[in-house]
């Protein structure tokens, strides 16, 4: 899930179509326009861009509405999210039972029809949803937590609707990716989201080798029972000194963000980490090259009287490389 990175969560999906009691949607009046906040001096220009808070994203004819849902804290359920659900003709949920549980906890009135759209049936469901939207119905698509279509079901439905030329919009919601990035303390001006890491070590290492020279900050999801092995692979491929953070249980009671280096977080991971984990890795500070490419610089320092191990450390720090790898290359030089 995009906002709730539990790669191994298994869902007991209810029957494809569920019928709930027929509740009339609440008629939400638009808030008084005078209560809109003023964010800058150019009042007229700003107010032209302000949409009334009562605006219903599921109004005005058939469309697909992607709805972001809380990733752990019900307090993050937005008014737009609730209005979109209440105003939909059809709800397409990753797990229908979890969706119904969410509406019960929020005391939220919702549509009569709820259908399931998850990884294994999304491709076959997409044409059905396209036809529903084409006929004038509003379909709200949501996953168990966070934004649909981002490491969650939804992409195939969006693609099908886009190809059919149908309206698509979204009500933004909580995101573990952006939250972990924001609190990591690492550069956030440019970043990449790499999704769930491969389950097997060999595939993980191959991916990390591809990303080793990436200069942007990178965000990953990982499962708590694989985090120790994964951090071992980070240590092997990325090296010990790259800055990194691990966020767990974001927005929940035991939320925590651990900051340090690959090496220091590897030690913590070896002791075990619980909860849903989002990893943020700093980008490479320079084009990463082979340790052998820097032996001349090490040699010059050694000739000036610096111990080989200290020289390796200085060169490693300068180029964002592994001190151990440079020192090993120095010891085994021809």
């Amino acid at each position: 899930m995009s906002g709730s990175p539990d790669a191994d969560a298994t869902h007991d999906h209810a029957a494809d179509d569920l019928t709930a009691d027929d509740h009339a949607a609440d008629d939400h009046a638009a808030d008084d326009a005078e209560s809109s906040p003023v964010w800058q001096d150019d009042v007229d220009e700003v107010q032209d861009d302000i949409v009334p808070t009562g605006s219903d994203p599921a109004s005005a004819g058939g469309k697909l509405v992607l709805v972001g849902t809380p990733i752990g804290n019900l307090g993050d359920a937005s008014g737009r999210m609730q209005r979109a659900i209440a105003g939909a003709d059809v709800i397409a949920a990753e797990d229908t039972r979890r969706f119904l549980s969410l509406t019960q906890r929020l005391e939220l009135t919702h549509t009569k029809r709820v259908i399931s759209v998850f990884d294994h049936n999304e491709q076959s469901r997409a044409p059905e949803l396209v036809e529903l939207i084409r006929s004038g119905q509003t379909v709200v698509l949501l996953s168990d937590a966070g934004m649909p279509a981002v490491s969650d079901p939804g992409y195939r439905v969006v693609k099908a609707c886009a190809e059919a030329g149908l309206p698509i919009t979204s009500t933004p919601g909580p995101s573990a990716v952006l939250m972990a990035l924001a609190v990591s303390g690492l550069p956030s001006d440019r970043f990449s989201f790499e999704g769930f890491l491969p389950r097997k070590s060999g595939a993980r290492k191959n991916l990390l080798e591809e990303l080793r020279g990436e200069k942007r900050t990178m965000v990953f999801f990982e499962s708590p029972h694989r985090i120790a092995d994964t951090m071992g692979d980070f240590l092997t491929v990325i090296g010990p000194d790259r800055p990194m953070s691990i966020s767990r249980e974001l927005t929940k009671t035991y939320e925590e963000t651990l900051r340090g280096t690959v090496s220091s977080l590897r030690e913590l991971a070896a002791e075990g980490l619980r909860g849903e984990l989002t990893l943020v890795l700093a980008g490479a500070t320079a084009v990463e090259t082979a340790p052998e490419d820097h032996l001349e610089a090490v040699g010059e320092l050694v000739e000036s009287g610096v111990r080989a191990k200290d020289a390796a450390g200085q060169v490693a720090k300068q180029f964002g490389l592994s001190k151990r790898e440079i020192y090993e290359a120095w010891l085994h030089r021809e």
Side-chain angles (χ1 to χ4, degrees):
M1 294 172 288
S2 64
S4 184
D6 184 353
D8 301 303
T10 57
H11 306 304
D12 180 14
H13 293 282
D16 281 348
D17 292 81
L18 293 183
T19 301
D21 292 337
D22 186 5
H23 297 292
D26 292 335
D27 183 15
H28 295 278
D31 291 346
D32 189 338
E34 293 182 359
S35 65
S36 299
V38 177
W39 296 325
Q40 61 188 53
D41 292 337
D42 193 351
V43 176
D44 292 338
E45 182 175 334
V46 172
Q47 289 186 339
D48 283 343
D49 294 332
I50 294 175
V51 177
T53 56
S55 178
D56 185 352
S59 64
K63 66 176 70 173
L64 175 67
V65 184
L66 306 178
V67 172
T69 54
I71 62 176
N73 190 322
L74 285 181
D76 293 330
S78 72
R80 290 191 71 211
M81 181 208 87
Q82 297 182 60
R83 286 190 293 274
I85 290 173
D89 298 304
V90 177
I91 298 291
E94 181 180 5
D95 187 313
T96 55
R97 291 176 181 172
R98 290 196 179 195
F99 167 70
L100 293 175
S101 174
L102 175 66
T103 59
Q104 289 169 3
R105 285 181 289 161
L106 290 174
E107 299 181 351
L108 180 62
T109 299
H110 61 84
T111 181
K112 291 187 296 184
R113 190 179 182 200
V114 182
I115 65 175
S116 62
V117 176
F118 52 98
D119 286 335
H120 299 298
N121 78 347
E122 183 182 357
Q123 189 67 52
S124 61
R125 277 292 195 190
E128 176 185 354
L129 296 178
V130 165
E131 290 307 314
L132 289 172
I133 296 167
R134 187 176 277 141
S135 71
Q137 297 192 55
T138 293
V139 174
V140 160
L141 189 151
L142 44 80
S143 57
D144 293 341
M147 281 299 298
V150 181
S151 282
D152 265 348
Y155 159 74
R156 296 176 183 88
V157 174
V158 173
K159 183 174 184 290
C161 289
E163 290 174 348
L166 298 173
I168 304 167
T169 187
S170 173
T171 67
S175 167
V177 176
L178 295 180
M179 183 173 176
L181 176 67
V183 303
S184 69
L186 299 174
S188 57
D189 53 335
R190 299 179 67 227
F191 72 96
S192 67
F193 173 52
E194 302 298 332
F196 289 105
L197 285 155
R199 292 170 176 266
K200 295 184 178 179
S201 179
R204 275 199 305 269
K205 287 180 179 177
N206 289 338
L207 175 63
L208 294 177
E209 287 286 359
E210 293 177 8
L211 297 174
R212 183 178 179 185
E214 173 60 63
K215 294 182 179 180
R216 295 173 296 177
T217 299
M218 292 157 277
V219 184
F220 308 84
F221 288 158
E222 187 52 290
S223 166
H225 70 263
R226 284 196 301 271
I227 187 62
D229 292 339
T230 291
M231 289 306 300
D233 292 339
F234 269 90
L235 186 64
T236 299
V237 177
I238 301 298
D241 300 323
R242 184 84 69 90
M244 188 176 186
S245 73
I246 299 178
S247 292
R248 55 182 294 273
E249 296 292 87
L250 289 172
T251 79
K252 301 179 182 178
T253 303
Y254 299 105
E255 175 185 320
E256 180 181 29
T257 292
L258 306 169
R259 303 174 185 85
T261 63
V262 170
S263 178
S264 65
L265 294 182
R266 166 68 181 91
E267 294 178 6
L268 292 174
E271 301 172 2
L273 293 176
R274 289 181 153 186
E276 298 170 343
L277 305 175
T278 306
L279 285 54
V280 183
L281 178 70
T285 56
V287 176
E288 298 199 14
T289 53
E292 291 76 12
D293 296 335
H294 300 278
L295 295 185
E296 182 178 350
V298 174
E300 291 176 356
L301 289 171
V302 170
E303 288 179 4
S304 69
V306 178
R307 289 196 317 155
K309 183 173 289 189
D310 294 335
Q314 291 182 35
V315 172
K317 184 175 182 180
Q318 179 181 355
F319 293 97
L321 300 175
S322 164
K323 173 182 176 181
R324 178 181 59 80
E325 290 179 0
I326 291 182
Y327 185 58
E328 287 290 326
W330 172 261
L331 292 178
H332 296 93
R333 69 192 184 282
E334 295 181 356

